[in-house]
Structures are given as structure tokens and as C-alpha cells.
Amino acid sequence: MTHFLYIIWNQSDGIKIGSFNLHFYSLMFVVAFGLGWYLMKSIFNRENEPIEKLDSLFVWMVLSILLGARLGHVLFYDWKYYKNHLLEILLPFRFDPKFEFTGFQGLASHGAAIAVIIAMYFYKTKIMKRSYLWILDRVVIPVASGAIFVRLGNFFNSEIYGPITSKAHFYAVKFVREDEFWSDKNILSTTGTHSEEQAFKVLQTDPKFAQLFDSIPFRHPAQLYEAFGYIFVFLIVYLMYWKTNARNKEGLIFGAFLVSLFSVRMIVESVKESQGGFESALGLLTTGQWLSIPFIISGLYFIWNSNKVKV
């Protein structure tokens, strides 16, 4: 529902297909990987590389992104919990206090970035036989496009949002399914329903819950801010490859990607609710900002050392 000065966001977490629920977040990953494959296919055709190698690259990218993002969340944001629940790191189940299917709750983009960089070294060694930076300069193009859809998935999931706004500004969003708001309220017993889907519908239609509904705070849609920023990151690396000779300067596109993407992350982190991690120990910056600094410095290094034009 959209109002003149704000948006009420009450999107369910997926599309019901019979008894199966296709989660929007998962759907955004499928879109990201599919578009990434298409973008790399165009690059492989231009570089006269066989498509068979692209299939292998796709597998390496999917595995490294998912595994890296998962381990990144565990190590950077929630090690205090997972060090006592090691099986839950790679298994989509919770064993304590009771056994239940949870899916993989928690993915960190910094971990995904590290894993991709490492994986591309082995991909280069075993399959591609091109230079390491040649590969990195090209894979960051689909990675940049994928980052847009991942953040859109976060928006659909009503997660990783920004702080509460003082007023219902035009950019403000009321996340009806906000976890923090409902953490101390039993929404099912309050509404007399048997599922969250029913409960959220009742909240918006039953007048006796109007006061409770109105008390849900308005927040900055940090996910959309970040997705919007990543559009420009994608355009930068895409145009550098297709419209300039930057592809002949090894490390230039990769460096530009690191600097631009993690600069966007640094900025948006300032209007994002804390995700935890080690920021309380270091202070001053968020965990996401601390993790972004090494990537930005590395990107500047690659840009600086990319002057040599390869013929």
C-alpha cells in the first residue's frame, strides 16, 4: 500500500505454489545468477572463450558466493552463537531448544566477496588459463548486477532496514512484518489467528487493531538505498568494459568495482540498523564499515597499478 508521503510494506515472504512457498529472497538469487550467466556469456563471446568454461565458472561462482556469504555471517556477525552450534553453520536446521527447519538465516556480502576472489584463483589455475586479474576484471560485472537483486530480496523480506525516521517522509517505509517490533508481542494470540499471514491481514483490516498498527514505526528503506547505489556501480564497471579500453588495463575494472561498491556500502551503513558483529568492541564504525575499508584500500591499489596497457 502506498500513501503520498510514505509506503506501507506488508509483502509476504514468497509466492505460494500449492503447498510450496517460493521465497522472494531465493527468487532474487535465481534472477541474479541467471542475469550473471547472461552477462558473462556476452563477455566470453567477445573474448572468444568457449561456453563450456562459462558453465564451470557458473558452478564456481554459485558455490563460492553461497558458502562465503554463509561463513562470513557466522565469523563476522554471529560467532558467539555458532561456536556452540557448529552443525547449524552448514545445515539448515536448529537443534536447540528443539529440532526445526530454519533455512540458512544469515548471509554476509563481505564473506561472499572474499570467497569469490579466492575461488577465481583456483578457477584460473585449473580451467581458464588466463591471468588472475583478467578474470576478476570480468566477473565483477555480473557480481555488481547481482548485488542489486540481493538487496531487493532483503527489502521483500523486510530485513536489513534503516533506523526509525522522525516523520512519515516520502521515502519512509512502515515494515508491517518488522521483527523487532513484534519480538515482544505474540501476534497470533493477539489477533486470534493461526498463521502470521492471517495475522498481518487482520491487523490492516480490523479497526480494533488500528492503534497497534499505527504504532509500527516508519524506517529508512536502507535496502533500496543500497540497491540504488549498486545500479551505478554496475553501470560503471559495465561501461568501463564495453565502452572503454579499461578491459586492457588489468586490475582497473576490478579496482573500480571494489572502490565504488564498498564506498556505497560505507555510506549506506550509516543509515542502517546495526547488524551486530564486532562493532561494539571497536566502536566508531559499524561492522560492515570496518570490513569495507580493506576492500576500498585494495581497490585503490589495483587502480594505481593498472597503468600498463596490454595490447
Side-chain angles (χ1 to χ4, degrees):
M1 182 188 301
T2 305
H3 296 254
F4 181 67
L5 289 178
Y6 56 84
I7 297 173
I8 294 177
W9 187 250
N10 187 24
Q11 182 63 53
S12 65
D13 63 352
I15 302 172
K16 295 286 186 181
I17 306 175
S19 60
F20 176 74
N21 186 28
L22 177 60
H23 291 272
F24 287 117
Y25 190 60
S26 301
L27 181 60
M28 290 299 100
F29 264 93
V30 172
V31 172
F33 286 128
L35 178 59
W37 187 91
Y38 176 80
L39 290 169
M40 283 304 296
K41 180 182 178 182
S42 299
I43 293 172
F44 269 48
N45 286 334
R46 180 179 193 176
E47 306 281 359
N48 295 316
E49 289 289 343
I51 298 301
E52 292 76 16
K53 292 184 179 180
L54 175 58
D55 295 336
S56 299
L57 176 62
F58 182 80
V59 174
W60 280 79
M61 290 291 290
V62 170
L63 293 179
S64 62
I65 287 174
L66 295 180
L67 181 60
R70 180 60 177 164
L71 293 178
H73 173 78
V74 169
L75 296 175
F76 298 145
Y77 290 95
D78 211 3
W79 178 241
K80 184 177 180 180
Y81 172 82
Y82 284 102
K83 69 179 180 181
N84 298 317
H85 303 83
L86 297 178
L87 288 177
E88 295 180 24
I89 294 176
L90 297 179
L91 295 178
F93 305 104
R94 179 180 290 122
F95 298 92
D96 184 33
K98 64 178 182 178
F99 179 82
E100 61 178 317
F101 176 79
T102 59
F104 292 111
Q105 298 180 344
L107 298 172
S109 56
H110 290 93
I114 294 171
V116 167
I117 292 171
I118 294 173
M120 289 305 96
Y121 175 80
F122 291 102
Y123 173 76
K124 180 270 297 188
T125 303
K126 295 178 177 295
I127 299 172
M128 199 65 187
K129 308 305 179 185
R130 290 268 196 169
S131 75
Y132 187 35
L133 288 177
W134 185 95
I135 296 173
L136 291 176
D137 280 337
R138 286 148 180 80
V139 297
V140 295
I141 297 173
V143 168
S145 69
I148 301 169
F149 292 98
V150 170
R151 286 297 175 249
L152 290 177
N154 293 137
F155 182 74
F156 276 113
N157 271 18
S158 298
E159 61 187 6
I160 314 184
Y161 33 67
I164 296 172
T165 63
S166 57
K167 298 179 181 179
H169 297 289
F170 73 93
Y171 54 76
V173 176
K174 185 191 286 279
F175 292 98
V176 176
R177 298 167 185 266
E178 178 189 325
D179 288 340
E180 281 80 355
F181 180 80
W182 298 109
S183 61
D184 59 347
K185 304 173 181 67
N186 191 327
I187 185 175
L188 298 185
S189 62
T190 299
T191 57
T193 55
H194 301 288
S195 70
E196 288 190 353
E197 193 71 31
Q198 294 174 330
F200 288 124
K201 288 180 179 178
V202 169
L203 284 170
Q204 286 189 271
T205 56
D206 194 327
K208 70 180 180 180
F209 296 112
Q211 186 174 0
L212 177 62
F213 182 82
D214 289 341
S215 65
I216 300 173
F218 289 98
R219 293 185 176 274
H220 285 276
Q223 321 95 320
L224 298 184
Y225 298 163
E226 198 165 348
F228 183 72
Y230 291 161
I231 291 174
F232 291 97
V233 175
F234 170 69
L235 290 176
I236 289 170
V237 294
Y238 181 86
L239 294 175
M240 284 179 70
Y241 176 81
W242 286 101
K243 301 298 182 179
T244 74
N245 70 340
R247 64 185 178 278
N248 297 320
K249 300 179 181 181
E250 291 197 343
L252 180 57
I253 299 177
F254 178 56
F257 166 81
L258 292 179
V259 172
S260 58
L261 185 132
F262 288 102
S263 292
V264 169
R265 182 66 183 270
M266 286 283 290
I267 295 170
V268 176
E269 282 284 326
S270 63
V271 286
K272 187 185 292 186
E273 284 285 84
S274 171
Q275 302 299 303
F278 52 77
E279 61 191 47
S280 58
L282 297 179
L284 189 61
L285 301 176
T286 69
T287 300
Q289 288 173 322
W290 282 115
L291 291 171
S292 296
I293 291 174
F295 287 98
I296 294 174
I297 295 173
S298 299
L300 292 172
Y301 169 82
F302 285 114
I303 292 172
W304 180 263
N305 286 279
S306 64
N307 334 7
K308 187 177 180 181
V309 179
K310 291 194 68 178
V311 180

